Amino acid sequence: MSLAVAEKKANLDSLRKELKARGVDAFCVPRADEYLGEYIPAHNERLHWLTGFTGSAGMAVVTARDAAIFTDGRYTVQVRRQVDAEHYQYRRLIEEPPLEWITEQLGAGSKVLIDPRMCTLDWYQRASQILADAHIELVLSTDNPIDHCWSARPEAFIAKALLLSETFTGEHSLIKRERLGRVIADLGADAALIFAPDSVSWLLNVRGRDVPRLPVLLSCALLERTGDLHLLVDERRIPEGFHEHTGAGVSVVPEDQAAALFRKFAGRTVLADPGTANAWSQLSLEECGATLMASDDPVLLPKACKNAVEIAGAQEAHRRDAVAEIRFLAWLDAEVSNGRYHDEALVSDRLGEFRAQGEHFHELSFDSISASASNAAMCHYNHLDNSPAELIPNSLYLVDSGGQYSDGTTDITRTVAIGEPSEEMCELFTLVLKGHIALDSARFPAGTTGTHLDSLARQFLWQTGRDYDHGTGHGVGAFLSVHEGPQRIAKAWNATALSPGMIVSNEPGYYRDGAFGIRCENLCVVREADTTSSEVPMLEFDALTLVPFDRRLIDTSLLSGQERAWIDAYHERVALEIMDRLDEQSDREWLGAATAPLE
């Protein structure tokens, strides 16, 4: 047994002892903290402490005798590499839900413990019903048992928030709050629970440094119909000048005084999103006498539909990001040409160095996916989880990366030929690229959702009996989360219509376990199309990402005339907007060759 496996076995044993002492038969451990965000600070990585799993979504369930870990399709390969099969069963999160597994494992009269801070109200209510039907008791406790077992738990990182000027936001916090206050009043509520830290950060025009890769102020808030806002936050995170920056009507409430704040809303109606806010906050409001009105977070759509200043900022951030990416790709090609096949960590660090030289850069927008050959078959691979592999001649290298800038968030994936790619690699890359082009070229009327468009990106793979097990596109914030809702492009139904100002990714892929992975990702913004010849108004995508696709991987025999024209036009635009920003002649020569018309 390896040292790492032995350590996780000891953690599992310690947790079981704690559960026995509490008189419960099972405990659910989601990959979440009290803010329910995708990115969580090190001191809240409870699922990783227990199992070793580093993915961004998943759940473990531990009973006295058995344990299982549930992940989605993105992590099918990764979970088997990171979590020991001797101690955990591997289950699919969607097809084999944890609650069903629990009812199969436990008998009537059993008790299941959850931390209500770590799940949504929707999930809690569904769990309550399913377990009650099986005569299993659901026990709530915010005294998380893992915190009693985790002896070397890191201290929480506390940093002052950043005050983001209107130069980047385009709108003052007071105007945002008053506008959304009117929305709350129109819905018949007195206030709204603004639970997500990125919603709070957008509303107050602040950003945070508490969570790596996610520049949000860890907090939640209650926004009144007047526009006044009560901010629940660790006061040590509030910087000098905060109240002058946010404007009138913002009060800071220490997190340990949440109950006292909630009691002020007794007899009042509070709008809350049961699908995104944690169960604890909403149950506590009810216990304090408030009436909950289920509704979407009122910040989500205004935040998703970027204003003109935010769009201009995103465009400029992507131009600077393109400079970094192009310098990196030129460097990588030169290194490979000279027989230097570096490992995944070195090349990832080199890309990070280029990015860090850009104006307004703060940090990466997520841990870069720097994946050589078969490692790229894990679409969310992280070279930091294991010993980084070296690049391999005559293979593929996939790099998915991005940056957080004061004026925008970037996310780009390029698949790169290392040496001579096989004909099959080129065929599959071209099928993926054709899907990317089809989605980018789409025109669609108002009311169209990402689900309506998803098949455009998959059609060419489907025609050959292939597919990919992840969504085609996600929303992206403005110097906020690289994964932002509510819009999404995926097979699973998403009811949010794509609207002008929304930034989404376009990232079809193909993955062959044990061999290679392919993904072509740009970010684009939804805009109104030129409809002079249309009977109804139409929308379209405008690419933000400006980096060439690897011509060596394109099988031109598989392209239509329109697809060839799209590639040439896109590459011409890349050269036009980025060439003069490159200082080194070698980089300009590389870009010239990379963007030349297809033969």
Side-chain angles (χ1 to χ4, degrees):
M1 182 183 295
S2 70
L3 182 62
V5 172
E7 178 186 331
K8 297 308 175 189
K9 174 63 165 56
N11 292 348
L12 181 59
D13 291 342
S14 176
L15 177 60
R16 283 185 167 134
K17 290 179 182 177
E18 179 68 20
L19 299 181
K20 183 177 181 180
R22 296 191 186 201
V24 296
D25 302 290
F27 179 49
C28 299
V29 187
R31 202 276 179 175
D33 66 2
E34 61 266 37
Y35 300 103
L36 301 185
E38 179 182 358
Y39 297 96
I40 60 179
H43 73 283
N44 284 340
E45 287 276 15
R46 296 178 178 90
L47 183 61
H48 176 252
W49 173 86
L50 179 64
T51 67
F53 178 64
T54 62
S56 62
M59 175 182 286
V61 180
V62 176
T63 71
R65 293 185 303 273
D66 297 298
I69 184 162
F70 301 79
T71 60
D72 63 34
R74 296 172 295 173
Y75 301 111
T76 301
V77 177
Q78 179 177 332
V79 70
R80 285 167 168 77
R81 294 191 181 186
Q82 294 183 329
V83 181
D84 184 38
E86 183 178 347
H87 301 116
Y88 290 91
Q89 301 174 29
Y90 304 128
R91 300 285 176 172
R92 292 178 68 87
L93 188 64
I94 307 302
E95 294 83 355
E96 306 170 286
L99 293 172
E100 290 185 9
W101 185 85
I102 290 172
T103 60
E104 294 169 358
Q105 301 295 315
L106 301 181
S110 300
K111 296 181 179 180
V112 176
L113 177 67
I114 67 168
D115 185 335
R117 301 171 301 168
M118 313 297 171
C119 64
T120 65
L121 183 63
D122 272 350
W123 191 91
Y124 160 73
Q125 291 173 335
R126 187 166 64 254
S128 298
Q129 186 62 56
I130 290 173
L131 296 181
D133 290 345
H135 305 288
I136 296 173
E137 181 183 350
L138 186 61
V139 180
L140 304 183
S141 176
T142 57
D143 184 18
N144 197 294
I146 285 182
D147 299 347
H148 291 262
C149 305
W150 192 353
S151 58
R153 186 183 180 194
E155 292 292 326
F157 180 74
I158 304 292
K160 298 291 186 185
L162 301 171
L163 305 179
L164 199 62
S165 76
E166 286 183 60
T167 304
F168 300 116
T169 68
E171 189 175 24
H172 193 276
S173 169
L174 180 58
I175 296 174
K176 292 181 180 180
R177 288 185 280 115
E178 290 179 341
R179 175 159 51 90
L180 291 179
R182 291 191 292 271
V183 172
I184 294 166
D186 289 343
L187 291 171
D190 299 297
L193 174 65
I194 310 301
F195 178 78
D198 62 330
S199 290
V200 177
S201 299
W202 178 87
L203 195 55
L204 294 176
N205 289 340
V206 299
R207 300 295 186 264
R209 311 177 192 184
D210 304 315
V211 185
R213 316 313 190 204
L214 181 64
V216 299
L217 174 63
L218 286 179
S219 59
C220 66
L222 281 162
L223 175 64
E224 300 202 47
R225 62 194 299 166
T226 60
D228 289 348
L229 182 139
H230 309 275
L231 179 66
L232 279 165
V233 67
D234 188 319
E235 292 179 293
R236 293 175 293 174
R237 294 189 165 107
I238 300 300
E240 183 178 351
F242 174 81
H243 290 287
E244 293 81 1
H245 174 76
T246 60
V250 176
S251 61
V252 174
V253 182
E255 291 175 307
D256 59 6
Q257 295 180 23
L261 173 63
F262 292 167
R263 282 193 291 270
K264 294 181 180 180
F265 289 85
R268 303 171 71 185
T269 299
V270 178
L271 183 154
D273 188 341
T276 60
N278 73 19
W280 173 84
S281 61
Q282 295 169 87
L283 295 173
S284 297
L285 277 164
E286 283 191 317
E287 290 171 2
C288 291
T291 299
L292 294 181
M293 176 188 290
S295 182
D296 293 338
D297 176 351
V299 173
L300 288 183
L301 277 177
K303 175 167 60 69
C305 297
K306 312 298 186 279
N307 62 39
V309 171
E310 290 171 321
I311 293 172
Q315 291 168 335
E316 185 58 26
H318 277 82
R319 294 185 189 104
R320 293 195 304 275
D321 202 68
V323 169
E325 186 86 13
I326 289 166
R327 292 178 65 196
F328 165 74
L329 292 172
W331 168 84
L332 180 62
D333 270 4
E335 293 296 287
V336 171
S337 295
N338 286 303
R340 292 189 284 270
Y341 297 92
H342 302 295
D343 68 37
E344 297 162 332
L346 189 150
V347 292
S348 176
D349 290 346
R350 190 74 175 116
L351 174 54
E353 291 168 4
F354 284 128
R355 218 170 232 123
Q357 295 170 21
E359 186 181 13
H360 300 311
F361 177 83
H362 292 271
E363 61 174 333
L364 302 181
S365 54
F366 56 97
D367 288 342
S368 297
I369 299 172
S370 175
S372 171
S374 62
N375 286 337
M378 294 181 284
C379 56
H380 279 230
Y381 170 78
N382 190 330
H383 64 273
L384 300 176
D385 293 337
N386 300 287
S387 298
E390 290 187 351
L391 303 186
I392 299 173
N394 304 326
S395 70
L396 300 179
Y397 169 64
L398 184 151
V399 55
D400 186 346
S401 63
Q404 292 286 8
Y405 302 87
S406 297
D407 48 358
T409 301
T410 68
D411 180 7
I412 171 179
T413 307
R414 287 296 181 264
T415 305
V416 182
I418 304 299
E420 292 295 327
S422 68
E423 289 185 5
E424 185 183 34
M425 291 175 181
C426 293
E427 175 195 0
L428 291 168
F429 177 88
T430 306
L431 294 178
V432 171
L433 181 58
K434 283 164 68 73
H436 177 99
I437 294 169
L439 181 58
D440 182 87
S441 303
R443 282 194 168 195
F444 47 95
T448 301
T449 75
T451 306
H452 293 137
L453 301 180
D454 179 78
S455 61
L456 293 176
R458 299 178 190 269
Q459 58 180 312
F460 302 102
L461 289 170
W462 283 356
Q463 289 170 6
T464 62
R466 301 179 174 99
D467 200 359
Y468 49 93
D469 199 3
H470 60 73
T472 298
H474 56 83
V476 177
F479 185 25
L480 279 171
S481 178
V482 73
H483 292 152
E484 177 182 88
Q487 76 276 17
R488 193 163 183 261
I489 302 175
K491 287 189 285 187
W493 175 247
N494 182 284
T496 302
L498 295 171
S499 303
M502 286 183 173
I503 294 175
V504 293
S505 67
N506 173 356
E507 50 180 307
Y510 175 76
Y511 310 91
R512 180 172 294 170
D513 188 18
F516 55 82
I518 295 166
R519 189 156 63 249
C520 297
E521 179 186 17
N522 282 356
L523 297 191
C524 52
V525 61
V526 180
R527 68 181 182 185
E528 295 180 354
D530 179 1
T531 56
T532 53
S533 60
S534 300
E535 294 184 2
V536 295
M538 303 295 282
L539 302 175
E540 64 183 4
F541 296 116
D542 180 36
L544 293 171
T545 306
L546 296 171
V547 176
F549 294 98
D550 194 334
R551 295 161 49 91
R552 297 166 295 189
L553 292 171
I554 300 175
D555 183 345
T556 56
S557 70
L558 299 177
L559 298 176
S560 69
Q562 288 181 325
E563 289 164 344
R564 293 171 65 101
W566 184 97
I567 293 170
D568 285 344
Y570 175 73
H571 283 167
E572 182 180 15
R573 179 184 171 191
V574 170
L576 181 66
E577 295 197 33
I578 306 302
M579 186 69 77
D580 290 344
R581 292 171 175 255
L582 298 171
D583 295 329
E584 298 295 329
Q585 179 63 25
S586 58
D587 293 336
R588 291 194 292 272
E589 290 174 357
W590 183 92
L591 181 59
T595 57
L598 294 175
E599 296 179 0

